[in-house]
Amino acid sequence: MYAGQSALSPEPDTIYYLTNETIGICTARDLQTGERFPVYDVSKAGGRDAYDVFLSGARGLIRIDNPAAQNDDELIIFRDSFGSSISPLFIEAFRSVTLVDVRYVEPSALSEYIDFDDKDVLFLFSALLLGNSFSLK
């Protein structure tokens, strides 16, 4: 994204992603709009922000469901945009992984979408976001 915004002509980053059979059968859903989309959408690689390949870009609440899960465990990840790239790697161990980006959803509204009882919770933020407490509401 930054290469496209620059007045210079820097070489854009190459994006790599890991996948496996489980990730390939999982579906992702925006919990606020109900929209469904693939975990990786490689058609978005040529767009304005190639990082949109991961879970179709910036969204406040996403749930990835694993129909092949061997347990009923659920993970909730509080994350920034970089969490979109690593979160699919957790899905093999869980029935669902829910991603929360508090930059795009009010924390007071989370109980409308997420039940936190008996869930694992992971806080996964970049140093850039942690250094900006305004973003963490």
Side-chain angles (χ1 to χ4, degrees):
M1 182 173 92
Y2 296 123
Q5 294 175 355
S6 174
L8 306 172
S9 297
E11 189 69 28
D13 291 334
T14 301
I15 293 180
Y16 297 94
Y17 63 96
L18 300 173
T19 191
N20 60 33
E21 188 176 313
T22 302
I23 292 172
I25 64 169
C26 290
T27 57
R29 183 169 54 98
D30 184 314
L31 294 178
Q32 294 175 293
T33 66
E35 179 186 357
R36 294 188 180 279
F37 43 90
V39 173
Y40 300 125
D41 186 350
V42 293
S43 71
K44 296 190 181 229
R48 188 177 67 81
D49 184 356
Y51 205 71
D52 287 351
V53 164
F54 303 104
L55 297 167
S56 293
R59 297 168 186 265
L61 292 168
I62 299 171
R63 188 173 76 209
I64 306 170
D65 291 311
N66 177 1
Q70 308 250 335
N71 60 53
D72 287 332
D73 296 342
E74 296 181 49
L75 175 64
I76 299 168
I77 301 175
F78 285 84
R79 53 84 186 210
D80 56 17
S81 59
F82 295 106
S84 293
S85 63
I86 196 167
S87 58
L89 304 180
F90 291 100
I91 194 61
E92 198 160 21
F94 295 93
R95 181 173 57 89
S96 70
V97 173
T98 301
L99 306 164
V100 179
D101 191 330
V102 294
R103 296 172 301 163
Y104 301 107
V105 64
E106 285 295 322
S108 60
L110 291 178
S111 62
E112 295 176 36
Y113 302 97
I114 301 172
D115 171 17
F116 288 91
D117 291 338
D118 297 320
K119 309 292 189 301
D120 293 322
V121 177
L122 174 64
F123 293 88
L124 188 64
F125 295 107
S126 66
L128 184 64
L129 185 68
L130 284 175
N132 181 1
S133 62
F134 178 75
S135 296
L136 290 175
K137 298 176 195 167

